[in-house]
Amino acid sequence: IRERALKRENLILEGKVKERTAIVVAQKEELAKKNEDITDSIRYAKRIQFAILPETSPYPDTFILFKPKDIVSGDFYWFTEVGDKEFFSAVDCTGHGVPGAFMSIIGHNSLSKIVKEFGILEPGEILSQLNKEVLDTLHQRSDARDIYDGMDLALACYDRKGKFLEYSGAFNPLYLVRDGELIETKADKQSIGRSAFKTDAVFTNHRIEIKPGDTVYLFTDGYVDQFGGEHRKKFKYGKLKEIILNIQKEPMTEQRVIMDQTIEKWRGDQDQLDDILVIGRRF
């Protein structure tokens, strides 16, 4: 009687195990399918995001080092021309991945709108207007006013006729290399869209006379914040300045390769921490 009862219990347990295993397998397959659908959607979103970004710079002797952390990126670069003025910018939106990609679309469209439609051509004024545009787009549509997304960026405008460069930055500086010396133009310490709803934020406009052979660099913080090396520390700005000075004899295309190889070697087996974007231009 005990043996028969034990066999019955074992059969019941085996049936329950098979039933639960089948449920787990079905759930796993359903989850895999959902993940596949989500990934496919994000990959298609990448095609849309990259469609608005030129594959190469429209300006001579210019490189773009662009390394998204995820499929889509919160960093983006922006180029446009108005008359004799050549605009270029490296922008770092809040976060990375899908949320950052949404912000990058807002930022890219807003910059184009400000310059092309509003006719604002001074970088400092452009950033002030961009701050208003981002706040209007995000916060006025949130009754709770609980959205604190924004962007940090470096924006430069080269005047071909006057041979001068104007720059304005939200946390992200501009590096200029001239005659073997690196000169840093510091940014304002305030972000676009994250100034506690301060729509009247003012950004400093810097003017730099450009000489033949000058090289300028705009970048987001992904490069300097990357962990790696022997002691798993951040790359930091000091090393970035050192690399930039060491590669000045190289053409811009080779500079891009060296900067890419350097950060990859530094990263090693560490995960990429953030989106990486560096723009270099020689005049």
Side-chain angles (χ1 to χ4, degrees):
I1 291 173
R2 289 198 188 107
E3 286 179 358
R4 287 199 295 271
L6 184 60
K7 287 179 180 180
R8 283 198 303 270
E9 290 177 2
N10 286 338
L11 288 173
I12 292 170
L13 286 174
E14 288 176 5
K16 289 181 177 180
V17 168
K18 288 179 181 179
E19 181 182 351
R20 290 176 181 176
T21 300
I23 292 173
V24 170
V25 169
Q27 290 176 338
K28 183 180 178 181
E29 291 176 350
E30 182 182 0
L31 183 60
K33 182 64 170 64
K34 288 181 178 179
N35 286 338
E36 183 181 354
D37 291 342
I38 292 170
T39 301
D40 287 344
S41 296
I42 296 174
R43 290 189 187 281
Y44 192 82
K46 176 183 178 180
R47 292 173 58 187
I48 297 173
Q49 185 182 35
F50 276 59
I52 69 172
L53 302 178
E55 292 184 8
T56 58
S57 166
Y59 311 134
D61 284 334
T62 303
F63 76 76
I64 305 167
L65 176 59
F66 184 44
K67 298 170 70 67
K69 177 185 184 297
D70 300 312
I71 299 173
V72 288
S73 173
D75 285 9
F76 73 91
Y77 48 92
W78 178 75
F79 299 95
T80 196
E81 293 185 51
V82 178
D84 290 320
K85 295 184 179 294
E86 301 174 346
F87 295 88
F88 53 106
S89 182
V91 188
D92 181 2
C93 298
T94 305
H96 46 75
V98 175
F102 275 111
M103 283 299 300
S104 75
I105 299 296
I106 293 173
H108 192 280
N109 290 344
S110 295
L111 283 170
S112 297
K113 176 183 176 182
I114 291 165
V115 172
K116 296 288 188 179
E117 296 183 22
F118 295 171
I120 299 174
L121 303 180
E122 184 182 277
E125 292 183 10
I126 291 172
L127 263 58
S128 295
Q129 184 62 38
L130 179 62
N131 184 62
K132 295 177 183 177
E133 292 291 320
V134 171
L135 287 172
D136 287 346
T137 300
L138 296 179
H139 300 296
Q140 286 190 3
R141 297 181 184 180
S142 172
D143 294 335
R145 298 177 72 83
D146 57 354
I147 302 175
Y148 295 95
D149 294 293
M151 55 195 73
D152 300 333
L153 73 152
L155 171 64
C157 173
Y158 176 62
D159 189 297
R160 289 192 297 261
K161 188 175 181 180
K163 305 297 182 185
F164 64 87
L165 186 80
E166 290 182 291
Y167 154 80
S168 188
F171 274 110
N172 293 354
L174 175 143
Y175 288 173
L176 166 69
V177 179
R178 174 181 293 167
D179 299 327
E181 180 185 1
L182 190 150
I183 304 165
E184 178 180 356
T185 303
K186 295 184 180 296
D188 292 302
K189 293 184 178 181
Q190 56 182 345
S191 292
I192 299 294
R194 286 183 286 181
S195 303
F197 309 107
K198 186 179 178 182
T199 58
D200 59 347
V202 176
F203 291 85
T204 308
N205 193 74
H206 303 269
R207 176 172 168 140
I208 305 167
E209 300 299 325
I210 294 295
K211 298 180 179 180
D214 285 352
T215 310
V216 299
Y217 299 87
L218 309 180
F219 46 88
T220 59
D221 61 3
Y223 200 100
V224 296
D225 284 347
Q226 179 59 50
F227 282 96
E230 183 180 352
H231 301 292
R232 309 299 193 195
K233 294 183 177 180
K234 286 186 177 183
F235 193 83
K236 295 186 178 179
Y237 289 95
K239 286 188 177 65
L240 176 60
K241 292 178 180 178
E242 183 180 331
I243 289 173
I244 288 174
L245 286 173
N246 289 339
I247 61 178
Q248 286 309 297
K249 293 182 180 180
E250 304 294 340
M252 300 307 286
T253 52
E254 184 62 24
Q255 287 193 21
R256 181 194 179 280
V257 172
I258 294 172
M259 293 194 73
D260 188 13
Q261 291 175 343
T262 300
I263 199 64
E264 284 300 312
K265 182 179 179 180
W266 174 264
R267 184 169 71 87
D269 59 359
Q270 295 286 299
D271 291 335
Q272 185 173 326
L273 181 69
D274 197 359
D275 301 313
I276 291 174
L277 173 59
V278 182
I279 300 173
R281 181 175 182 185
R282 177 170 287 157
F283 295 93

